[in-house]
């Protein structure tokens, strides 16, 4: 059975002190909540990953990185490898976030290399994709999403899918306050699951968690999460306040 997941993408927010404080509050709240079949993940900045791993200790909350380089090591100033992440106790990485695609030139081809490298290093990944507003206006959103998944993931063997979580994040809904309606999210998530089933098997498609991301808040989380193909959320802004993040976790 696929898992429900609530993941907090902190982006470039929180220094070390703030990281510790926020994580302690989240840890306390998650401990109190009786979570069934639900995984909680937080993705602080690179410099605070070590701190996060220490603060969270053996709690159920997992730590993810927001990015990594595909290379094993070498002359890539400012970059971080999978090995480095693993040595810091981080076994999950977010790849393909729309901000990485838009501001840092990450193409499907680059992401494919990152996916391969992460899986080679036995890491789990949260793979993000989603259309821009224009794609939706021109009714190209299904085609676009399909190509993003296909180009970066469909060369993988079936066994890799145990390590993959998908995150559908329509770019027009990220940080804008505008959310996809629960119906729009469900429609796309069902399409994604069918795309995976057609390429692989119904079982693989059924077992992959598909998260929705884009202005998820305590006020809309429950409705979005209630849709059958929405298995949780990738949360940006609302993951920076413990009370909001915990309320979103409770909504699942
Ligand atoms: P948001 O960000 O919740 O602030 O819209 C989501 C994301 O970028 O993952």
């Amino acid at each position: 059975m696929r898992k429900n997941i609530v993941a907090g993408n902190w982006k470039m927010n929180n220094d070390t002190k703030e990281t510790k404080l926020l994580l302690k509050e989240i840890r306390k709240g998650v401990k109190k909540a009786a979570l069934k079949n639900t995984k909680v993940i937080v993705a602080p900045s690179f410099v605070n990953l070590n701190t996060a791993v220490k603060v969270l200790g053996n709690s159920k909350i997992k730590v993810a990185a927001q990015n990594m380089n595909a290379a094993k090591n070498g002359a890539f100033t400012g970059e971080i490898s999978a090995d480095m992440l693993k040595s810091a106790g981080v076994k999950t990485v977010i790849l393909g976030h729309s901000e990485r695609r838009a501001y840092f030139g990450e193409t499907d081809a680059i992401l494919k290399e990152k996916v391969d490298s992460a899986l080679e290093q036995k890491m789990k990944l949260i793979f993000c994709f989603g259309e821009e507003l224009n794609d939706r206006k021109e009714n190209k959103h299904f085609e676009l999403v399909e190509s993003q998944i296909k180009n970066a993931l469909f060369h993988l063997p079936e066994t890799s899918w145990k390590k993959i979580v998908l995150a559908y994040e329509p770019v027009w809904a990220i940080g804008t306050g505008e959310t996809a309606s629960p119906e729009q999210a469900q429609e796309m998530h069902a399409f994604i699951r069918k795309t995976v089933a057609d390429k692989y098997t119904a079982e693989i498609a059924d077992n992959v968690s598909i998260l929705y991301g884009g202005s998820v808040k305590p006020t809309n989380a429950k409705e979005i999460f209630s849709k059958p193909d929405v298995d949780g959320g990738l949360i940006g802004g609302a993951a920076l306040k413990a009370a909001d993040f915990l309320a979103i976790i409770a909504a699942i």
Side-chain angles (χ1 to χ4, degrees):
M1 191 168 68
R2 61 181 181 260
K3 276 209 162 69
N4 291 320
I5 299 169
V6 178
N9 172 14
W10 290 12
K11 308 191 181 184
M12 199 171 73
N13 293 296
N14 291 333
D15 63 17
T16 302
K17 196 174 160 197
E18 289 160 343
T19 297
K20 280 186 193 161
L21 268 174
L22 180 54
L23 287 177
K24 280 182 186 167
E25 283 183 73
I26 294 172
R27 191 184 62 188
K28 214 160 92 190
V30 166
K31 204 174 166 191
K32 271 198 214 149
L35 298 179
K36 272 190 218 133
N37 195 37
T38 297
K39 202 164 156 183
V40 177
I41 300 174
V42 288
S45 69
F46 281 134
V47 286
N48 290 313
L49 288 175
N50 234 318
T51 300
V53 169
K54 280 189 195 137
V55 171
L56 295 173
N58 55 7
S59 80
K60 284 187 193 145
I61 305 165
K62 302 282 178 237
V63 179
Q66 298 173 20
N67 178 34
M68 59 167 252
N69 191 286
K72 269 196 141 141
N73 62 285
F76 300 103
T77 301
E79 290 296 285
I80 307 277
S81 71
D83 247 4
M84 292 170 185
L85 294 177
K86 282 201 304 183
S87 70
V90 177
K91 298 180 195 117
T92 305
V93 62
I94 298 173
L95 291 177
H97 191 280
S98 68
E99 286 148 19
R100 300 294 319 170
R101 292 177 190 258
Y103 308 145
F104 303 97
E106 295 197 3
T107 59
D108 287 352
I110 291 173
L111 289 168
K112 183 180 175 195
E113 279 182 29
K114 291 191 177 200
V115 165
D116 286 343
S117 173
L119 292 171
E120 228 168 79
Q121 301 297 318
K122 311 244 176 312
M123 293 193 67
K124 292 185 179 151
L125 49 107
I126 301 176
F127 185 77
C128 310
F129 49 85
E131 82 281 2
E132 295 191 25
L133 190 56
N134 265 346
D135 303 315
R136 188 166 273 268
K137 279 187 180 154
E138 291 167 18
N139 207 27
K140 287 188 184 145
H141 46 304
F142 292 113
E143 197 184 310
L144 195 269
V145 160
E146 183 177 1
S147 76
Q148 287 174 321
I149 298 173
K150 206 162 128 188
N151 293 342
L153 302 177
F154 275 8
H155 63 292
L156 296 170
E158 290 187 1
T159 47
S160 296
W161 282 80
K162 283 194 196 93
K163 301 261 185 188
I164 298 173
V165 168
L166 300 177
Y168 168 58
E169 299 203 303
V171 180
W172 48 272
I174 297 177
T176 58
E178 197 173 325
T179 330
S181 69
E183 291 70 32
Q184 282 172 323
Q186 169 57 27
E187 186 187 31
M188 183 57 90
H189 282 222
F191 170 79
I192 294 162
R193 209 177 293 288
K194 185 177 180 308
T195 304
V196 175
D198 289 347
K199 168 70 184 173
Y200 291 92
T201 63
E203 194 188 348
I204 287 175
D206 209 38
N207 284 330
V208 68
S209 299
I210 308 177
L211 314 185
Y212 168 79
S215 299
V216 177
K217 302 179 270 269
T219 45
N220 59 24
K222 202 165 183 170
E223 231 191 318
I224 298 173
F225 295 165
S226 70
K227 294 295 176 192
D229 285 298
V230 179
D231 308 310
L234 182 55
I235 321 299
L240 299 173
K241 277 196 193 141
D244 287 355
F245 191 56
L246 291 168
I248 291 170
I249 294 168
I252 212 149

